[in-house]
Amino acid sequence: MTINPLTYANSTSASAPHGVGTIFGTMLWDLAWRLVQREGASGDLLYGDGGENRMLRLVLQALKLQPCNAGLVDARNALLAADQMLYGGAYQCDIWRTFARRGLGASANQGSASILADNVAAFDVYGPCERIFANGFQSPQPTTSQFCSTIGAIDLPGGQPGTTFGPASAYPVPINVHGLANAPSAVRVQMFGLTHTFPDDLDLLLVSPDHRNLVIQSDVGGGTDAINLSYVIDDAAPTLLPDAGPLTAGSFRPSNVGAGDPFAVPAPVGPHNNAAPAGSATLGSVFGSSQPNGSWRLYIVDDAAGDVGTLSGVCLEIDHLP
């Protein structure tokens, strides 16, 4: 993923057909190596029965099964059906885990197969495959660790009451993550005790220890007061944060209505990765292969004068293999 980080999330801005084909080809390449690791390589494309031979058979059979003008979800499903036909479903979990890693997981949605803009990436693995490797052995169970900022309440913006716009009083808000042996399989941001008289003014940029970044919240919530509100920003949530408001408790996907909001130094210089609807990046696509240990930084800016607020605290929840 470091050399080639393409995921289904990139398909919304990819050219057709070659850009989209590159994304799907990347997934097929990953799957081919997974089958070679499992079955070995025969070195004989005509008569062999190694992982590379089985991969070719799966792809050719899937092409016969998928509908005309197929989307990538259709193509994934055709591979799963081909595996059932040719190998009795022996590689179902290999396919699910490989494609989920690249954003074509169980909850991925292609919308209309002829439109790229409505593609929705998801990194979840089909339920029966979540904890079982395709060879039948039990995999390590993911665990969840929580890491919280320890600086206490944060003014939004700093310098109140004389200042009513600009960076937060803690800029950035540091969150120290330590002791994780593997990259995140999921990242969630927990916001505690948000009070603000016009939450639409708030822009939030999350940056990992290896300098990856994502605007996780911007220009949402409208002008309805948020009062001591706690909520979670989570790729797996059912909906985006509401554009016109009001903000409510619950879980919501990362949401950025308008790209291009500036973040003052020491925040990284833009352009930044933008969540939907302004972009297509997700917590998983940006941070899924990141180095988790070290100082994560949350930059919060109030971008308009006249309204103020506070935030009681912020935490990260990181799912990871032990």
Side-chain angles (χ1 to χ4, degrees), residues 72-96:
L72 296 196
V73 171
D74 294 324
R76 180 205 66 196
N77 293 344
L79 273 170
L80 291 163
D83 174 49
Q84 291 285 2
M85 292 180 65
L86 296 177
Y87 301 112
Y91 303 110
Q92 295 288 289
C93 289
D94 292 285
I95 296 169
W96 276 116

Side-chain angles (χ1 to χ4, degrees), residues 53-65:
N53 305 99
R54 295 195 169 208
M55 181 65 190
L56 285 172
R57 293 179 194 128
L58 285 172
V59 171
L60 290 173
Q61 186 65 32
L63 288 172
K64 303 172 189 177
L65 298 174

Side-chain angles (χ1 to χ4, degrees), residues 228 234 322:
N228 197 28
D234 180 0

Side-chain angles (χ1 to χ4, degrees), residues 145-148 174-180 182 184 187 208-209 291-297 315-318 320:
S145 298
Q146 184 190 60
F147 304 91
C148 298
I175 305 169
N176 185 41
V177 172
H178 54 87
L180 303 189
N182 292 287
V187 176
S208 66
Q291 163 54 251
N293 295 313
S295 180
W296 291 66
R297 289 148 287 159
C315 295
L316 293 181
E317 268 195 350
I318 299 179
H320 58 95

Side-chain angles (χ1 to χ4, degrees), residues 155-174:
D155 289 337
L156 308 173
Q160 302 175 27
T163 300
T164 60
F165 71 98
S169 58
Y171 188 83
V173 179

